[in-house]
Amino acid sequence: MTTAQKILESTSSWIVALAPAAVFAVLAYFAAPAISRIGFEVFFGSIWSPAYGKFGGAAFFYAAFLTSILAVVFSAPFVAIISIFLTQYADGLLGRLIKNSVELFALIPAVVYGLCALTVVVPFVEDLQIAFGVESPNGYGILSASIVLAFISAPYATFLASKALGSAPDKLIKAAYSLGATKREIILRTLLPKAAPGIAAAFFISFGRCLGEAIAVAMVVGGGAMFAESVFSRGDTVASFLATNFLSSESDMTLSVMAEAGLALAGFSAIFHFAGGALFRQIWRGDVNI
Amino acid sequence: MRDKLKRRIFADKVFGVFIVVSAAILISPVFYILYLILFKGFTFLQAALSREFPKLSAALGTALLDAIFSTAATVFAGAAAAFAISLFAGLRAARKNGAFNKILDFSIEALGSIPPIIAGMFVFFVFIGAGGEFSLACGSIAIALFMIPELTRFARDVFRNMPKKIYEAARSLGANDDLIASKILIPAIAKKMVGKTLYLASVAAGLTAPLLFTVKGSSAIWDYPNRNDDENTLSLIIYNFRAVPEEEIRALTWIAALFLLLFILVLLTSSRLISEND
C-alpha cells in the first residue's frame, strides 16, 4: 500500500467515524441559543408565532408521530403479504415481476410520490372529507400525508420483513414438512412467530424513516402549526415544517429553534434505527444489515 | 380423518391463492404511478415541443436542460466522493480490529440513521450559513453524506467476506497486509463497488430535502432568457414548481418527473449490468 493510499484510508476512516458526531455537534451548536433562551418550549409549547416570541412546536411532533403511526398501519398488509409472497411463493414470471416491482417501488423518489399524490390521493381524500361532512374540504391533511408515507415506507419494510422471514433455517422447515404440516401451517405457525421480532423491527425502522420524511409530506399535509383534531386536519410534521420554513426563517432565534427541532428529529430517527436493529438481531441470524 | 386432511389441503390452496392474488393487487399502484409519469410526462413534453404551450416550450430548452445537467453533476460528484471515502473506510473497518473499529462500525449505523433533510441542514450550517452560497457543490456534499454509510457498510462486508484462501496464498508469496490490500483486495471489489455506487446514485438522484437547503432552486426560472443565478435539479423543479399558479408552467413538474425517472432507470440498469458482469 502506498503512502497516499494509507493517508486516504486513515482520512476516510476518520471522516466516517466523526461525521455523525459532527452532524449532531453542529446542530447542537446552532440550537444552543434557543435552548438557553426558551429551553424545550419547541417540544411542549403549543403556540408557534415567532413574531411574538412563541416557539411552541408540540403540534409538529404530534403530527409527525400521528402520520408515522398511520403510515405503518396502512403499510402493514402490504408488508405482510408481499414479504410472505417473496419468501414462499415467488416462483416463475409473476414472482420475478413482483420482486422487480417492489424494487422499483423503492426507487421512485419521494418527490414523485408527492406529485402523484397531488393528482390521486388529494382528490380521493377530498371526496372522503365531503362524505364525512368536513368543513372546507380540500384533500390536504394528515390522512393524505399518511397514505403517501405508507407508499414510501412500505418497500423498505417489505425488504426487512422478507429478510426476517427468509432467514429461517432450512432444517426447521424440513422438520415441519416431515411432520405433515402444510405450507400455510408452516408460514402461520412456524415462520411468522419466529420472525415476529424481525417483522416488528421492520416496522420500527420504517416508523423512524417516516418521521424523517419531509418532501412528500410537505406537498400534501397542508401546513399549519395547529394540533390535528382529526385525520382530515391540516398540519405540519417536524420534517415538513423544516422543509417549508427553514430557508425563510426571519430571525436567528427562529433558525436556532429549527436547529433544535432538527436535532430532536435526528435523535428520534437514531433511536428507532438502533432499537429496530437490536430487535432484528434477535431473529435466527444476526448478520442482517439494516 | 380424511375430511380433516382434505380441509387442511383446501385451506392451504386458498391461502396460496389469496397471497398470490393479493400480492398482484397490492403491487399494482407502482404501475399506475409509472403510467401517470409516462403518460403525463410525454403528453406535456409533446405539447411543449409542438409549442402549444409557449412558456413551457421556453422553459424546456433552458430550465429543464439546466436541471438535467445539474442533477447529473450533483449526483456524480457526490457519488465519486462517497465512493472514494467509503472504499477506504470500508477497507479500514474490515482489516483492523480495536476500539477505533468499534467506533467506526457505530458511526456507520449512526450516519445511516440521519434523515436526508438533517444532512441538508448540516451542510447549510457549515458551508452556507457561514457565508457560503447555495451551490451544486454543497448539494454534492449532502448527497455524499447520504451515500457514505450504506456504501461503507457494503465495502466493509465485501472485504470481510473475501475468501481466506486469497490472504493465505498472497502471504505465502511474501505479500504483507498493505500489499494485499492495494494489489488484491481493492482491485477485486472495485467493480462491485461501482455497481453499488451507481445503485445508490439512482436513489440519491431523487433526493430533494437536502438539495433544497444546499442548492435551493427556484420557481422563477421560466423568466428565461433572463436567467437568474439559481440552480435547479430535476427533483427541485418538481418541488418548487408544484404550487406555481399557472397550469402551463406547472406542467414542467411532470416533464421533470419523466426525465428523473429515466435518469434513475439508466443508473439502475448500469448498476445491474456492472454487477452481473462481475
Side-chain angles (χ1 to χ4, degrees):
Chain A
M1 203 174 214
T2 61
T3 312
Q5 281 175 329
K6 278 182 183 171
I7 292 170
L8 268 175
E9 190 186 74
S10 173
T11 313
S12 303
S13 307
W14 278 106
I15 289 174
V16 176
L18 294 178
V23 172
F24 279 95
V26 165
L27 287 179
Y29 174 78
F30 282 94
I35 294 170
S36 68
R37 205 173 121 188
I38 60 158
F40 297 103
E41 188 188 335
V42 69
F43 304 118
F44 305 111
S46 55
I47 300 169
W48 178 267
S49 180
Y52 294 96
K54 296 280 184 192
F55 295 100
F60 307 135
F61 286 94
Y62 173 69
F65 278 89
L66 183 61
T67 50
S68 301
I69 289 168
L70 286 174
V72 169
V73 171
F74 291 155
S75 66
F78 179 96
V79 174
I81 288 172
I82 300 285
S83 55
I84 290 174
F85 175 84
L86 290 177
T87 53
Q88 306 301 322
Y89 292 93
D91 302 321
L93 185 67
L94 185 65
R96 278 203 302 276
L97 184 72
I98 291 185
K99 208 173 175 180
N100 288 330
S101 303
V102 173
E103 200 176 330
L104 199 60
F105 234 133
L107 277 174
I108 294 174
V111 70
V112 174
Y113 275 116
L115 184 65
C116 293
L118 288 173
T119 314
V120 183
V121 177
V122 169
F124 167 72
V125 173
E126 188 178 0
D127 288 344
L128 278 181
Q129 287 174 331
I130 293 166
F132 279 91
V134 174
E135 269 182 48
S136 51
N138 61 10
Y140 292 88
I142 299 291
L143 183 61
S144 298
S146 305
I147 294 171
V148 179
L149 277 179
F151 274 103
I152 293 171
S153 64
Y156 189 64
T158 305
F159 165 76
L160 291 177
S162 302
K163 286 263 182 192
L165 271 173
S167 61
D170 267 357
K171 272 190 261 180
L172 192 72
I173 296 168
K174 280 178 186 163
Y177 272 126
S178 71
L179 290 169
T182 62
K183 200 173 197 174
R184 178 185 74 96
E185 288 162 348
I186 291 173
I187 293 167
L188 296 181
R189 293 182 189 170
T190 309
L191 296 182
L192 281 177
K194 278 281 184 186
I199 296 169
F203 287 121
F204 230 64
I205 293 164
S206 165
F207 180 84
R209 290 199 159 194
C210 288
L211 283 179
E213 178 50 53
I215 292 301
V217 175
M219 289 166 87
V220 298
V221 78
M226 57 287 192
F227 277 93
E229 289 168 355
S230 77
V231 291
F232 294 125
S233 302
R234 293 167 58 168
D236 250 327
T237 66
V238 183
S240 71
F241 178 74
L242 291 175
T244 45
N245 294 283
F246 182 71
L247 290 180
S248 54
S249 302
E250 285 170 1
S251 69
D252 287 348
M253 182 47 82
T254 312
L255 205 63
S256 181
V257 172
M258 290 197 184
E260 192 182 349
L263 188 63
L265 182 63
F268 281 126
S269 297
I271 288 168
F272 282 99
H273 184 86
F274 280 105
L279 212 54
F280 217 101
R281 279 183 275 280
Q282 293 194 4
I283 57 169
W284 293 292
R285 289 203 318 251
D287 60 354
V288 180
N289 285 319
I290 49 169
Chain B
M1 183 74 178
R2 182 166 284 189
D3 279 353
K4 197 180 174 192
L5 183 65
K6 275 185 182 171
R7 272 206 306 275
R8 283 175 62 213
I9 292 170
F10 179 70
D12 187 54
K13 281 185 179 163
V14 169
F15 182 76
V17 170
F18 168 75
I19 291 291
V20 173
V21 172
S22 305
I25 292 170
L26 285 171
I27 210 72
S28 56
V30 77
F31 295 105
Y32 185 65
I33 289 170
L34 289 180
Y35 163 77
L36 259 183
I37 297 167
L38 293 175
F39 176 75
K40 290 207 172 219
F42 277 118
T43 305
F44 287 125
L45 183 63
Q46 205 176 13
L49 290 174
S50 62
R51 303 198 175 276
E52 195 179 318
F53 297 151
K55 281 182 182 172
L56 186 61
S57 304
L60 201 65
T62 49
L64 196 77
L65 274 181
D66 261 8
I68 292 170
F69 170 77
S70 300
T71 305
T74 314
V75 169
F76 285 128
F83 176 88
I85 292 170
S86 303
L87 180 72
F88 286 101
L91 182 66
R92 171 71 170 79
R95 279 204 314 155
K96 294 179 181 164
N97 292 313
F100 181 73
N101 260 41
K102 281 186 183 146
I103 294 171
L104 198 55
D105 282 347
F106 176 79
S107 293
I108 292 168
E109 290 302 321
L111 197 56
S113 76
I114 290 172
I117 190 169
I118 301 299
M121 278 175 89
F122 168 73
V123 176
F124 174 86
F125 279 130
V126 173
F127 296 98
I128 300 162
E133 286 184 357
F134 293 99
S135 66
L136 296 181
C138 288
S140 298
I141 296 170
I143 280 184
L145 266 179
F146 167 80
M147 290 175 72
I148 282 172
E150 181 76 27
L151 212 49
T152 308
R153 192 190 289 147
F154 176 80
R156 180 196 64 193
D157 293 348
V158 175
F159 280 129
R160 276 184 187 163
N161 292 329
M162 282 273 183
K164 293 272 181 286
K165 280 180 195 169
I166 292 179
Y167 290 90
E168 288 161 7
R171 282 203 188 100
S172 70
L173 290 169
N176 60 17
D177 279 357
D178 288 343
L179 202 62
I180 294 172
S182 63
K183 297 287 179 192
I184 298 170
L185 298 183
I186 292 175
I189 81 150
K191 225 172 183 183
K192 276 196 178 78
M193 275 293 283
V194 172
K196 185 70 178 179
T197 307
L198 285 173
Y199 175 78
L200 285 173
S202 71
V203 180
L207 286 180
T208 313
L211 300 185
L212 192 63
F213 294 168
T214 52
V215 180
K216 194 181 170 192
S218 156
S219 62
I221 51 175
W222 48 273
D223 273 334
Y224 277 97
N226 306 318
R227 189 185 193 286
N228 58 28
D229 289 333
D230 292 325
E231 299 282 357
N232 257 327
T233 63
L234 288 169
S235 58
L236 285 176
I237 282 195
I238 299 171
Y239 183 73
N240 285 328
F241 277 70
R242 78 193 191 285
V244 169
E246 277 181 273
E247 201 175 335
E248 183 183 331
I249 300 302
R250 220 165 43 229
L252 194 62
T253 56
W254 288 103
I255 302 175
L258 175 69
F259 278 96
L260 182 58
L261 192 70
L262 292 176
F263 185 62
I264 287 170
L265 288 177
V266 167
L267 289 173
L268 182 67
T269 311
S270 314
S271 155
R272 286 229 167 137
L273 285 175
I274 288 171
S275 301
E276 278 169 15
N277 287 335
D278 191 26

